[in-house]
Amino acid sequence: MVCCTQIHPERDAKASSITARKRIPPFSNHAIAAFASKASSSLTCHPSPPDILRDLLQSEMDGTRKNDKQPILLPCCFDGLSARLVARSGFEATFMTGFGVSGVNGYPDAQLISYAEMSNAANSVSEGLSSAALEMSTQPIPCIADGDTGYGNAMNVKRTVFGYGRAGMAGIMIEDQISPKRCGHVAGKQVVEFGEAVERIRAACDARDEYESMYGKGTGPLVLARTDSLVTHGFEDAIQRCLAFRDVGCDMTFLEAPQTTDQMREYCQRVSGPKLANMLEYGNTPILPPEQLKEMGYTLAAYPLTLLSASIKAMKESLQLIRDGLPTNDMILSFEETKDEVGFTQYSKEEKRYKDDE
């Protein structure tokens, strides 16, 4: 996502009309970056989604964030509607969960969903966040999106980072499982070897920086580096991977599925930078109050399946009521409330603006 109006170089002085203009050869990344840097001083830009996320993380790390009792809470979304609900509920950020995107497409989180399908979901999430922001007259809240393993080798990882950046994602999570990967709290997961894991994250960080060289400083999606090696290789290996991920430039780390509070606390003590806790209800990690997570040193706390699971439960209960011939009124919103949540209130206001005066 470009933070301001794109700048084009001056055309050939001899080209006085559109038809007379000559094709300009592509610029190198260095030339684009130099031109953008020169122009930036004279332009006022809105912060990009990565900039908003970066500022939010920095405020949490340095103690200047308004909510000083909890880490940054990330209820996880999976489509445009769930993204709207998170934003309209007043949260500062969200996370697009691969488990959720897989689930709403009718599949388990076992990488049966492709890069293209995840990228499409990221676009829907971005639109949902934008529509909510327009209604509330605020900037869209930033979203970190699940990039799984990057969908292939290092070059695939880089393409995924670029694609998520174009979709408006503020950050991307890349992990070290083998492909096809699976949910981090189910049996059977495996990870790539240490060196390959580090190079995968290095590729993501390179793509972030290359994106910025093309589209401007602060536009590259921040990299959240995840390791699942605790179960397969032990806690110390997981720590060493997180440290190596930081060494190659990742912005945030995520040690998946710690099994004790002692492991959670040691991870926070030994690894620098922003860290994410994954609060999966009924999973392998202890569910702790946000205040305790912050005290431990966590910067972000994700709630990956709460919205998906709650919606499944509500739908199943509603389906049973329908089957039993019973009223569903206690299970649902009023029609007016439903219309408002999906955007009809704002739509009607906009529609009136563009109607002919008759």
Side-chain angles (χ1 to χ4, degrees):
M1 178 174 289
V2 182
C3 69
C4 56
T5 304
Q6 188 174 1
I7 305 300
H8 295 281
E10 293 182 359
R11 306 292 186 177
D12 192 324
K14 296 179 181 179
S16 58
S17 67
I18 294 177
T19 56
R21 287 175 182 168
K22 296 180 179 179
R23 183 176 180 182
I24 305 298
F27 282 95
S28 67
N29 289 348
H30 177 75
I32 292 173
F35 190 87
S37 176
K38 182 178 179 181
S40 63
S41 61
S42 61
L43 293 174
T44 300
C45 295
H46 295 293
S48 66
D51 269 336
I52 296 172
L53 177 59
R54 185 179 292 104
D55 289 345
L56 182 61
L57 292 170
Q58 185 59 47
S59 67
E60 172 63 17
M61 296 290 289
D62 63 23
T64 59
R65 183 167 151 265
K66 290 181 180 179
N67 188 341
D68 60 355
K69 298 184 182 301
Q70 299 178 335
I72 301 163
L73 303 180
L74 303 174
C76 293
C77 61
F78 39 83
D79 58 15
L81 177 58
S82 57
R84 278 178 54 84
L85 293 174
V86 173
R88 283 163 58 94
S89 296
F91 288 92
E92 300 167 283
T94 186
F95 187 107
M96 187 185 83
T97 160
F99 191 116
V101 175
S102 296
V104 297
N105 278 279
Y107 296 105
D109 183 19
Q111 210 163 356
L112 295 169
I113 297 296
S114 67
Y115 160 72
E117 290 165 302
M118 288 294 289
S119 183
N120 287 338
N123 275 297
S124 295
V125 165
S126 187
E127 289 189 28
L129 296 176
S130 295
S131 68
L134 284 170
E135 293 173 11
M136 299 185 294
S137 299
T138 61
Q139 293 177 337
I141 64 172
C143 179
I144 303 170
D146 191 346
D148 293 320
T149 61
Y151 309 102
N153 64 14
M155 301 310 298
N156 293 90
V157 170
K158 296 180 76 170
R159 183 192 180 209
T160 302
V161 173
F162 266 71
Y164 280 25
R166 288 191 296 269
M169 296 295 97
I172 180 171
M173 182 176 76
I174 299 293
E175 63 190 71
D176 60 0
Q177 284 196 48
I178 65 168
S179 183
K181 58 86 62 183
R182 61 187 62 199
C183 169
H185 289 253
V186 300
K189 67 179 182 178
Q190 300 178 54
V191 297
V192 298
E193 291 305 313
F194 190 99
E196 183 178 348
V198 174
E199 290 308 305
R200 187 179 287 178
I201 300 305
R202 186 194 304 275
C205 295
D206 286 346
R208 173 201 60 203
D209 298 342
E210 289 165 12
Y211 191 98
E212 293 195 355
S213 75
M214 296 180 69
Y215 297 109
K217 183 175 175 58
T219 60
L222 304 190
V223 176
L224 169 60
R226 163 179 159 174
T227 182
D228 285 74
S229 76
L230 186 152
V231 172
T232 58
H233 290 62
F235 180 70
E236 184 59 30
D237 182 85
I239 289 288
Q240 292 302 318
R241 290 185 185 223
C242 288
L243 292 172
F245 296 162
R246 288 289 289 165
D247 286 342
V248 295
C250 80
D251 301 283
M252 304 162 277
T253 58
F254 170 25
L255 194 159
E256 171 66 304
Q259 298 173 344
T260 67
T261 55
D262 287 342
Q263 288 180 341
M264 297 169 75
R265 191 177 299 277
E266 184 174 350
Y267 160 55
C268 289
Q269 291 172 345
R270 294 179 60 185
V271 179
S272 66
K275 291 168 282 289
L276 182 140
N278 197 29
M279 295 289 97
L280 173 59
E281 297 92 345
Y282 306 107
N284 298 326
T285 299
I287 301 297
L288 304 176
E291 293 79 8
Q292 188 173 353
L293 292 173
K294 184 182 180 76
E295 182 273 328
M296 281 183 169
Y298 282 104
T299 317
L300 308 114
Y303 296 80
L305 298 187
T306 308
L307 297 186
L308 177 66
S309 183
S311 63
I312 292 172
K313 180 180 180 181
M315 286 190 282
K316 291 182 68 175
E317 291 178 0
S318 296
L319 289 167
Q320 188 61 51
L321 290 173
I322 294 171
R323 177 180 288 276
D324 295 340
L326 299 173
T328 58
N329 295 31
D330 292 340
M331 293 293 301
I332 65 175
L333 299 175
S334 70
F335 185 44
E336 289 301 315
E337 290 172 309
T338 300
K339 288 192 297 180
D340 181 61
E341 292 296 349
V342 301
F344 260 111
T345 303
Q346 182 67 18
Y347 178 89
S348 297
K349 292 179 181 178
E350 288 291 294
E351 188 177 39
K352 289 178 182 179
R353 290 179 59 198
Y354 299 105
K355 277 190 173 180
D356 292 334
D357 294 329
E358 296 179 351

